[in-house]
Amino acid sequence: AKTDGVGLWREFDATMQARQALLFEREQDLRNALGKKQFTLAYQPILDTGTRQSVGCEALLRWTHPTHGSVPPSEFVGLMEKLGLIVPIGRWVLETACLEAVHWPADTHVAVNLSPIQMNDEGLVDEVKAILIRSGLPAHRLTLEVTETSLLEDNPIVRNTMDALRAIGIRFSLDDFGTGHSGLGYLRRFPFDGIKIDKLFIQDMVEQPDAAAIVNALLAVSAELNLDVVAEGVETEAQYEALRQRHCQYVQGHYFAKPLADTEARRFILTHRTA
Ligand code: C2E
Ligand code: CA
Ligand code: CA
Ligand code: CA
């Protein structure tokens, strides 16, 4: 076929239009997903490193699209934020996690991820309090995971939200720790109860001395500051062993369990506990 510049441009333009159409379709589907009950939560167990007993789970959002099947959060969480859907969907996540976790053993917790937009939303405190009342979940069984991005603007709302929710017993964990730029400074300025070491470091720590050095440093700082530490993305026996030797208190990853449906998560917890 003969292609001149104009023909190529038309082809390119058509591809762009097709991509635009696809994105637009995905946006529409996402707007309808909550009403159509296409979201579920998967729960990934968090274990005590020493005993390998389950202390709780992290709730992870799952979207089952009617034709595209399971869409990973990396493909829609950013879009939810852009479309202003993160607050209503985030509220659904919090409520569902609390309603389901209330049926787990009383000494376990559920960790819920909060977007920076939720953390900068003045309505969050009242919303969380109302959800705890409706679900019956005691506040100390809820952990909120936030990333550095939530703290970047140094918005007083974020600090006030953390203070108000910590005052009733909710715990805060700094997620993806080590991946940003000034994570250590945030630990001084915001009242965190724990950190999660990003899986990037955990997955390289056995083979790469620089990753192991960073894990060592993060564990040392956390011990000094009295913070709980969860290592995420543990996939191998060697990684688990390396973390155990370093006295990292909690672990989470495919080596122990993948994210599980509510009933399987509950069963996992019941079969992985001391009592
Ligand atoms: P995250 O908070 O860092 O969550 C941990 C991610 O690591 C999850 O990916 C989990 O499935 C994955 N993971 C756990 N163990 C392993 C492992 O051993 N190896 C590997 N390679 N991966 C492991 P997922 O479920 O795809 O979620 C991705 C991200 O989407 C989350 O990262 C979080 O930032 C966001 N996200 C998920 N659910 C929610 C939600 O309800 N609200 C908000 N705002 N964000 C969410
Ligand atoms: Ca998380
Ligand atoms: Ca993380
Ligand atoms: Ca992450």
Side-chain angles (χ1 to χ4, degrees):
K2 207 175 96 185
T3 44
D4 51 49
V6 175
L8 270 177
W9 171 253
R10 288 212 183 97
E11 224 168 87
F12 175 72
D13 202 40
T15 319
M16 287 297 284
Q17 276 178 15
R19 286 188 47 177
Q20 274 306 117
L22 268 178
L23 183 64
F24 183 72
E25 194 187 310
R26 169 146 303 186
E27 288 183 5
Q28 290 308 313
D29 291 348
L30 197 52
R31 287 184 212 278
N32 295 325
L34 193 58
K36 291 188 170 171
K37 301 194 191 309
Q38 290 165 356
F39 290 120
T40 52
L41 294 181
Y43 296 97
Q44 187 174 36
I46 298 169
L47 294 90
D48 184 294
T49 309
T51 62
R52 285 178 78 145
Q53 302 300 302
S54 178
V55 296
C57 291
E58 176 179 7
L60 294 159
L61 185 57
R62 295 291 177 256
W63 179 22
T64 309
H65 185 282
T67 52
H68 303 137
S70 175
V71 185
S74 57
E75 285 181 28
F76 69 86
V77 171
L79 196 55
M80 290 196 309
E81 290 173 338
K82 187 187 129 198
L83 298 177
L85 298 170
I86 192 74
V87 167
I89 295 172
R91 189 184 302 133
W92 177 88
V93 170
L94 266 167
E95 175 134 24
T96 305
C98 293
L99 284 167
E100 296 185 332
V102 79
H103 301 293
W104 305 348
D107 57 355
T108 59
H109 73 274
V110 65
V112 174
N113 292 287
L114 288 190
S115 147
I117 295 174
Q118 291 173 280
M119 278 304 288
N120 285 278
D121 174 14
E122 257 171 320
L124 185 71
V125 172
D126 287 341
E127 210 167 82
V128 170
K129 286 180 175 173
I131 285 171
L132 289 176
I133 291 169
R134 282 203 294 277
S135 65
L137 189 79
H140 70 267
R141 295 185 57 200
L142 178 62
T143 297
L144 298 177
E145 295 191 1
V146 306
T147 57
E148 267 182 34
T149 319
S150 298
L151 319 170
L152 283 179
E153 288 168 33
D154 225 339
N155 185 343
I157 293 177
V158 173
R159 178 67 210 228
N160 294 342
T161 296
M162 287 183 77
D163 288 341
L165 291 178
R166 287 185 81 250
I168 63 168
I170 289 171
R171 301 167 64 80
F172 278 89
S173 188
L174 185 53
D175 206 352
D176 299 343
F177 193 69
T179 56
H181 296 289
S182 40
L184 285 175
Y186 289 127
L187 291 179
R188 284 192 61 207
R189 279 192 284 140
F190 293 90
F192 282 99
D193 302 284
I195 64 162
K196 296 190 84 170
I197 302 181
D198 195 79
K199 53 181 173 291
L200 284 174
F201 303 110
I202 305 305
Q203 287 172 356
D204 289 342
M205 70 180 290
V206 174
E207 282 91 24
Q208 297 178 19
D210 58 339
I214 291 172
V215 173
N216 292 344
L218 297 180
L219 287 168
V221 168
S222 307
E224 286 288 325
L225 297 178
N226 230 332
L227 296 164
D228 285 342
V229 182
V230 180
E232 64 176 31
V234 181
E235 291 181 348
T236 67
E237 168 78 37
Q239 289 161 1
Y240 168 59
E241 198 46 45
L243 290 161
R244 214 175 52 80
Q245 279 170 12
R246 289 171 168 84
H247 306 291
C248 172
Q249 202 182 352
Y250 302 107
V251 281
Q252 176 183 355
H254 295 169
Y255 179 62
F256 307 100
K258 296 206 164 153
L260 305 166
D262 171 45
T263 46
E264 278 92 66
R266 180 143 44 112
R267 195 172 317 136
F268 185 96
I269 290 170
L270 288 170
T271 53
H272 291 80
R273 40 188 289 106
T274 16

